[in-house]
Amino acid sequence: MTISNPVFESKLTLYVLVCWILAAFGGLMFGYDIGISGGVSGMDDFLIKFFPRVYERKSHAKENNYCKYDDQMLQLFTSSLYLAALIASFGASKACSYFGRKPTIFMASILFIIGAVLSALAEHMWILILGRIFFGIAVGFGNETVPLFLTEVAPVQHRGAVNILFQLFVTIGILIAGLVNFATSKIHPNGWRFSLGLAGVPALILGLGSLIITETPASLLERGKVEEARAALKKIRGVEGVEPEFQEMLAGCEKARQVKRPFKKLMKKESMPPLIIAISMQVFQQFTGINAIMFYAPVLFQTMGFKADGSLMSTIITGLVNVGSTFVSIYAVDKVGRRKLLLQACCQMLISQLAIGIILSTHLSATGSLNKKLAAAVVVLVCTYVMSFAWSWGPLGWLIPSETFPMETRTGGFAFAVSANMMFTFLIAQAFLSMLCTMQASIFFFFSAWIVTMGVFVIFLLPETKGVPIDSMVDRVWKQHPVWKRFFGDTQEL
Ligand code: BGC
């Protein structure tokens, strides 16, 4: 069966570019948070105020390198956000359908600003945690809505690149957080308050931006506003001749409307292939171990014997590598394809993790520190690892789940992917410092084993989706795949 890829008329207008960039600030909000917590958890003023026991242990010269930050409450500080986001993403998918993408993005920014204010002013642990919960709900709302928004306003031929703008802004957010921490760590005793409070800035930009951006035509159609949808499509395409595209959207919307209960439909056998792939992409993304680096890089580098400044510096270097390498993905994803990028990255990540594990297990004793040359080698290896993540599992963990579902199960399916991401981000954030303490350098071998599993998964189970029109995924991808085709019978119940 051959289905050609339609090319609809569109112009890249300044307005649509502004819409993409403003929406992508949702990614920046998420990224800033990922990057800020690790640096703050390494700041003495912050530890003295909220985690005096950890501070005591850290300043103890003879303390075990791998265990000095192991504290359940300290980990809860980082991870509570993701638990809140996990629950919020399902609420966000409902809000997206009932109110539209624009108001949901606005809600995300308000919640984030409340989180920033609470965190910056926190005098007690419970306020700090409350702030994290607000941040978390905001991230759940933002991460469900922004990638969908970008996908829905992107012209078909640029969908991949526009979707990866979200990840690009995540990486920029992480980098900015690294720079902010570097500066605020020199402000005593309230530097950490600036770090947490400045999270409100991208949220404010997103909030103001959400007043300017258009509602997506798909969301307007979903809520029966046909004429407004047509006008919105003309506005974002910058041309008058949008009728062929609009008619196709109407047809897709009609088909989706026949499915009365999308979540029930998602549980049917024929929805399993995209659902399993979407969830696995996010789970595996987290089992690369990336957030062990992103959240805890300053702590990790201090564990390796870097001084506080040196470790924040190294975080900035990895942050720059992360941003730069995401551009490679934007360029390559529609040329070399998803599978090749993922497999190449598995090899590069595996080599880097194994080498880090070997260096640390042979040269970093529980109480010593690494010599300069080896410490530099570890930073280089962390960079080669981050680089490969940034052009593969990072962006594709978001892109593939957004393009594998048929329209009727797309938003519901994507909510599962977002919550899987949050769930495993939470688990890794919560467990990492304890795992580091018990497994020591072997933690890198643990992640290496996962990377091998992921490689096998890509080889046998992940179909190539490059260049496949999003609405013919079922016929052209799932029904052709040697494993997944068994999930499709002759009749498809709604
Ligand atoms: C992941 C985050 C990760 C970030 C690193 C994102 O795609 O979802 O968990 O910290 O990439 O750049």
Side-chain angles (χ1 to χ4, degrees):
M1 184 180 205
T2 43
I3 300 165
S4 60
N5 194 358
V7 177
F8 300 119
E9 216 187 316
S10 75
K11 267 199 328 226
L12 184 61
T13 60
L14 183 64
Y15 176 70
V16 80
L17 204 66
V18 168
C19 282
W20 294 347
I21 293 182
L22 286 174
F25 265 87
L28 205 142
M29 225 166 66
F30 175 43
Y32 185 86
D33 215 280
I34 293 171
I36 211 75
S37 340
V40 168
S41 328
M43 289 182 195
D44 288 350
D45 295 322
F46 178 77
L47 291 177
I48 292 168
K49 185 158 181 67
F50 294 106
F51 303 95
R53 266 193 337 183
V54 182
Y55 178 72
E56 278 294 301
R57 218 178 307 155
K58 181 185 160 192
S59 15
H60 235 262
K62 291 215 166 58
E63 190 63 69
N64 186 322
N65 263 330
Y66 293 99
C67 296
K68 56 186 167 193
Y69 291 98
D70 176 24
D71 182 282
Q72 286 299 315
M73 281 308 277
L74 181 59
Q75 295 178 51
L76 195 63
F77 164 71
T78 300
S79 62
S80 50
L81 184 154
Y82 297 92
L83 201 56
L86 152 73
I87 298 161
S89 53
F90 287 100
S93 99
K94 291 265 178 245
C96 252
S97 309
Y98 286 122
F99 305 118
R101 311 336 181 208
K102 226 173 114 108
T104 313
I105 293 180
F106 183 72
M107 281 184 241
S109 68
I110 296 294
L111 290 161
F112 209 82
I113 291 172
I114 299 177
V117 172
L118 286 173
S119 312
L121 301 180
E123 281 300 334
H124 304 284
M125 177 67 100
W126 69 269
I127 301 187
L128 198 65
I129 299 286
L130 191 66
R132 299 297 288 168
I133 292 173
F134 269 96
F135 275 147
I137 302 173
V139 165
F141 271 60
N143 283 17
E144 169 72 17
T145 324
V146 169
L148 275 182
F149 175 90
L150 290 171
T151 299
E152 287 176 350
V153 296
V156 180
Q157 62 273 31
H158 301 305
R159 188 178 281 136
V162 174
N163 182 288
I164 295 180
L165 273 184
F166 172 73
Q167 173 71 11
L168 180 68
F169 273 64
V170 171
T171 60
I172 294 174
I174 297 175
L175 175 64
I176 293 178
L179 293 169
V180 168
N181 275 339
F182 190 53
T184 61
S185 63
K186 298 182 171 42
I187 306 174
H188 301 286
N190 285 323
W192 61 271
R193 291 188 190 276
F194 290 105
S195 289
L196 296 178
L198 282 173
V201 176
L204 193 67
I205 299 175
L206 182 72
L208 295 176
S210 73
L211 304 176
I212 298 169
I213 60 178
T214 171
E215 182 53 277
T216 74
S219 167
L220 290 164
L221 276 183
E222 204 176 6
R223 288 171 294 132
K225 302 184 177 178
V226 179
E227 280 321 306
E228 283 179 48
R230 185 180 274 116
L233 190 61
K234 284 185 186 165
K235 198 166 173 191
I236 58 176
R237 294 292 175 260
V239 292
E240 282 296 310
V242 295
E243 222 33 47
E245 182 174 7
F246 191 64
Q247 288 309 321
E248 189 151 317
M249 288 180 77
L250 270 178
C253 179
E254 204 36 58
K255 206 170 141 209
R257 223 192 275 266
Q258 285 163 14
V259 178
K260 294 282 173 270
R261 297 207 200 123
F263 278 100
K264 192 165 170 222
K265 165 90 177 168
L266 256 181
M267 295 303 128
K268 300 264 182 215
K269 192 174 169 195
E270 69 272 12
S271 296
M272 286 302 126
L275 190 62
I276 293 172
I277 290 294
I279 293 178
S280 311
M281 282 304 296
Q282 291 283 17
V283 173
F284 285 141
Q285 186 202 61
Q286 291 308 312
F287 273 110
T288 55
I290 186 68
N291 283 324
I293 307 280
M294 291 300 149
F295 296 143
Y296 298 118
V299 169
L300 201 64
F301 283 120
Q302 284 185 33
T303 298
M304 291 165 198
F306 284 72
K307 296 277 163 282
D309 240 25
S311 63
L312 280 175
M313 230 11 233
S314 321
T315 315
I316 292 165
I317 296 171
T318 52
L320 276 171
V321 170
N322 198 12
V323 176
S325 311
T326 306
F327 283 102
V328 175
S329 188
I330 293 180
Y331 174 78
V333 72
D334 292 316
K335 296 195 169 62
V336 298
R338 283 71 165 146
R339 278 168 55 92
K340 282 196 186 132
L341 276 179
L342 292 168
L343 283 173
Q344 185 285 336
C346 279
C347 299
Q348 192 167 324
M349 288 192 294
L350 181 65
I351 295 170
S352 314
Q353 294 257 17
L354 286 176
I356 296 174
I358 292 170
I359 294 180
L360 295 191
S361 54
T362 51
H363 289 86
L364 182 66
S365 61
T367 51
S369 65
L370 285 181
N371 70 39
K372 273 219 165 87
K373 270 198 187 139
L374 283 177
V378 171
V379 174
V380 171
L381 288 165
V382 168
C383 287
T384 56
Y385 163 80
V386 168
M387 188 187 290
S388 46
F389 174 88
W391 62 54
S392 60
W393 292 87
L396 301 187
W398 296 100
L399 173 63
I400 292 178
S402 80
E403 64 181 13
T404 48
F405 289 100
M407 188 185 238
E408 58 273 23
T409 48
R410 197 168 297 145
T411 50
F414 195 65
F416 274 95
V418 176
S419 57
N421 179 287
M422 296 302 150
M423 161 82 112
F424 283 86
T425 307
F426 167 77
L427 288 177
I428 301 268
Q430 190 63 23
F432 177 72
L433 292 179
S434 311
M435 283 163 73
L436 184 67
C437 178
T438 39
M439 297 168 81
Q440 307 210 341
S442 321
I443 192 157
F444 292 98
F445 302 132
F446 168 82
F447 287 125
S448 304
W450 276 102
I451 290 171
V452 173
T453 315
M454 289 154 56
V456 174
F457 162 85
V458 173
I459 294 173
F460 294 106
L461 295 177
L462 187 81
E464 179 57 70
T465 44
K466 176 188 95 171
V468 181
I470 188 164
D471 287 311
S472 42
M473 228 26 110
V474 172
D475 291 324
R476 294 185 56 177
V477 171
W478 301 113
K479 288 186 178 175
Q480 309 301 324
H481 192 272
V483 174
W484 300 119
K485 68 180 178 194
R486 296 179 203 156
F487 284 69
F488 295 88
D490 289 339
T491 50
Q492 288 193 28
E493 227 188 299
L494 292 177

